[in-house]
């Protein structure tokens, strides 16, 4: 099995910065696309940023110019660096990854448990 664990969430004042980390562990053969999603109360979960195994990135319009996604393939990890945070960035942030297993060669989509990010004004 595969597990994704996020860390780095917390409370920050508007205009501040915060960094999130996600590490995948388990029977991993390879990881394809990894990404960060967020879900605010009463809203649907939305993509914040994603990154392919080759390094191609994709950002939500609201994140462009403020957030940066990166990954470390050797560590099976993905990171999200958030700058100039706004109150509307407040949400639970989830790590997501497409993982191909080592024992069974099939690709599955996995989610982390989520980490709370709260931006105060």
């Amino acid at each position: 099995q595969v597990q994704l664990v996020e860390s780095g969430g917390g409370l920050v004042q508007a205009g501040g910065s915060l960094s999130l980390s996600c590490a995948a562990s388990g029977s991993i053969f390879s990881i394809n696309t990894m990404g960060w999603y967020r879900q605010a109360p009463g809203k649907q979960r939305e993509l914040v940023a994603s990154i392919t195994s080759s390094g191609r990135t994709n950002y939500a319009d609201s994140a462009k110019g403020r957030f940066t996604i990166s990954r470390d393939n050797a560590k099976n990890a993905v990171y999200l660096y958030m700058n100039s945070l706004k109150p509307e960035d407040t949400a639970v942030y989830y790590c997501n990854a497409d993982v191909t297993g080592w024992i069974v060669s099939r690709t599955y989509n996995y989610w982390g448990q989520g980490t709370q990010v709260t931006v105060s004004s």
Side-chain angles (χ1 to χ4, degrees), residues 74-113:
K75 296 181 179 180
N76 290 328
V78 63
Y79 311 94
L80 184 67
Y81 302 98
M82 304 184 289
N83 301 306
S84 301
L85 285 163
K86 305 173 181 179
E88 49 263 45
D89 292 319
T90 296
V92 176
Y93 284 70
Y94 297 90
C95 179
N96 179 267
D98 290 319
V99 182
T100 299
W102 178 254
I103 299 176
V104 179
S105 187
R106 289 185 62 185
T107 301
Y108 294 93
N109 185 259
Y110 294 89
W111 290 94
Q113 81 290 341

Side-chain angles (χ1 to χ4, degrees), residues 54-67:
S54 62
R56 176 176 286 273
T57 59
N58 183 50
Y59 296 92
D61 288 340
S62 61
K64 292 179 180 177
R66 299 190 300 127
F67 296 1

Side-chain angles (χ1 to χ4, degrees), residues 23-88:
S25 62
S27 300
I28 301 171
F29 176 75
S30 64
I31 301 179
N32 303 115
T33 301
M34 302 186 81
W36 289 95
Y37 290 72
R38 68 186 181 189
Q39 186 167 25
K43 296 184 178 180
Q44 291 189 318
R45 190 171 298 184
E46 64 176 354
L47 174 69
V48 178
S50 65
I51 183 168
T52 67
S53 58
S54 62
R56 176 176 286 273
T57 59
N58 183 50
Y59 296 92
D61 288 340
S62 61
K64 292 179 180 177
R66 299 190 300 127
F67 296 1
T68 300
I69 188 171
S70 64
R71 64 188 288 169
D72 186 334
N73 292 332
K75 296 181 179 180
N76 290 328
V78 63
Y79 311 94
L80 184 67
Y81 302 98
M82 304 184 289
N83 301 306
S84 301
L85 285 163
K86 305 173 181 179
E88 49 263 45

